[in-house]
Amino acid sequence: MRNHLPKIITLIVACGVSGWLFAGDHGEQDEGREGGGLPAVDHKAWRAECGACHTAFHPGLLPERSWRKLMDGLDHHFGENAGLDAATRKSITDFLAANAADRLDARRARKVAASIPSGETPLRITATAWFERKHDELSPGVWKKPSIGSRANCGACHPGADKGSFDEHAVRIPR
Amino acid sequence: MHKTLTLLLLALAAGGAAAAPADPLQAYVAQARQADPGFAPAASRGEAFFRLQRAAASGRIACTDCHTDDPRQPGRTRARKPIAPLAPVANAERLADAAKTEKWLGRNCLDVVGRACTAAEKADIVAWLISIR
């Protein structure tokens, strides 16, 4: 019996800690639902075309001017040709513009937009001060893991990335 | 009157078929034969074209960089998104839509080959992918 005492104490402490952690998690998730995140959006061509090569990045992660500039340069899209026919390009551009960081009424969108100086038109979400601030605790080596491989691979750590959900408590950094 | 209608329907059917054949191989072969009436697609040429390592600003580049050496296997984009297998034997949707095939060959030839591929080259690649079992 004496031999089991440390194990029992560990078990009791572990239960207490996990209960506390669970309670904390629950609270944060509720907060997220109340407007911390980005609203769920969908557009067939956006999901099919943008999502063919990378996470279908939520429009609320860049301002309208960035999306317009990006969609004007698809023939040279970060070193790759991502050209679209005119009708598809316009349809996706309209969707991105209508739900852009500076157009959406959501707290996260406002924070993204506010982190970008008005004279700048970043083409990469990872170039915004908001993104940098949110990821500043990660060591540079994390991005080089084969299971992650690219800063564009949001879904590697954020299971809800394709739905625009980046809840901090759902983050799981793969080994 | 009846004859005219039949002719009209035939013309429409032919016109439609010429504009967008469902089978990309047929489409590329027809296109290649406009320049070379004796053209016949060759799976071996398509495979060699697919595997060729080409000089690029960033070193060497090949179709296999993203699609892997085996078209029956899924590949990965630079942004780490999975790419469904290229061989129809492993992916029934592949090559089923001529417009989609043309969109991707159009983009990827510019990136990997550094120019648009000819219809003959596209016919060879498609012939090879179809031949894979």
Side-chain angles (χ1 to χ4, degrees):
Chain A
M1 180 63 206
R2 207 183 303 156
N3 280 348
H4 289 298
L5 200 59
K7 281 183 190 166
I8 290 166
I9 290 171
T10 307
L11 195 68
I12 291 166
V13 170
C15 286
V17 168
S18 67
W20 171 74
L21 275 176
F22 179 77
D25 218 31
H26 194 69
E28 292 293 337
Q29 276 172 4
D30 280 348
E31 190 182 299
R33 266 201 293 277
E34 278 164 22
L38 292 165
V41 291
D42 207 2
H43 183 275
K44 205 178 160 201
W46 163 72
R47 198 162 283 288
E49 299 295 344
C50 311
C53 294
H54 51 69
T55 308
F57 301 121
H58 196 292
L61 296 173
L62 281 176
E64 180 179 350
R65 61 183 183 280
S66 291
W67 290 124
R68 292 200 181 279
K69 189 175 171 189
L70 183 121
M71 293 300 285
D72 272 343
L74 286 180
D75 286 356
H76 301 281
H77 187 66
F78 306 109
E80 282 182 32
N81 184 298
L84 289 170
D85 64 84
T88 308
R89 190 169 59 123
K90 186 186 182 305
S91 167
I92 295 176
T93 306
D94 289 349
F95 162 74
L96 294 170
N99 296 286
D102 48 350
R103 298 273 298 271
L104 276 184
D105 183 24
R107 202 174 66 144
R108 177 159 295 152
R110 283 195 295 272
K111 282 189 170 182
V112 171
S115 82
I116 302 165
S118 58
E120 287 178 21
T121 306
L123 295 183
R124 292 178 189 272
I125 295 161
T126 53
T128 63
W130 170 83
F131 182 94
E132 287 293 338
R133 192 166 65 235
K134 286 290 183 184
H135 298 86
D136 62 359
E137 76 275 27
L138 294 173
S139 74
V142 165
W143 305 103
K144 298 194 180 84
K145 289 180 180 214
S147 49
I148 301 177
S150 161
R151 281 177 199 239
N153 189 7
C154 310
C157 305
H158 300 276
D162 269 338
K163 295 179 191 72
S165 165
F166 296 92
D167 182 354
E168 214 167 318
H169 297 272
V171 170
R172 293 288 174 271
I173 297 173
R175 289 184 174 274
Chain B
M1 177 61 202
H2 185 72
K3 208 173 180 181
T4 317
L5 192 67
T6 312
L7 280 173
L8 186 70
L9 284 173
L10 275 173
L12 279 172
D23 173 11
L25 179 60
Q26 226 183 312
Y28 291 137
V29 169
Q31 226 181 310
R33 282 185 181 155
Q34 286 173 8
D36 172 10
F39 174 80
S44 57
R45 278 198 309 258
E47 179 172 7
F49 192 87
F50 183 84
R51 299 196 186 286
L52 185 63
Q53 297 277 331
R54 300 159 202 275
S58 55
R60 301 189 80 70
I61 188 169
C63 306
T64 55
D65 291 358
C66 292
H67 293 293
T68 82
D69 286 338
D70 183 354
R72 291 168 300 185
Q73 298 299 319
R76 257 184 199 281
T77 68
R78 279 197 306 146
R80 317 297 291 174
K81 190 102 178 179
I83 306 172
L86 291 182
V89 69
N91 172 12
E93 277 178 41
R94 192 64 74 188
L95 306 179
D97 177 344
K100 195 173 174 187
T101 303
E102 174 56 20
K103 179 179 80 177
W104 283 106
L105 281 172
R107 288 172 172 173
N108 295 353
C109 284
L110 291 172
D111 286 337
V112 178
V113 187
R115 58 165 172 83
C117 291
T118 64
E121 287 165 339
K122 294 181 208 173
D124 288 344
I125 294 171
V126 171
W128 175 56
L129 293 174
I130 291 170
S131 77
I132 295 169
R133 285 288 164 264

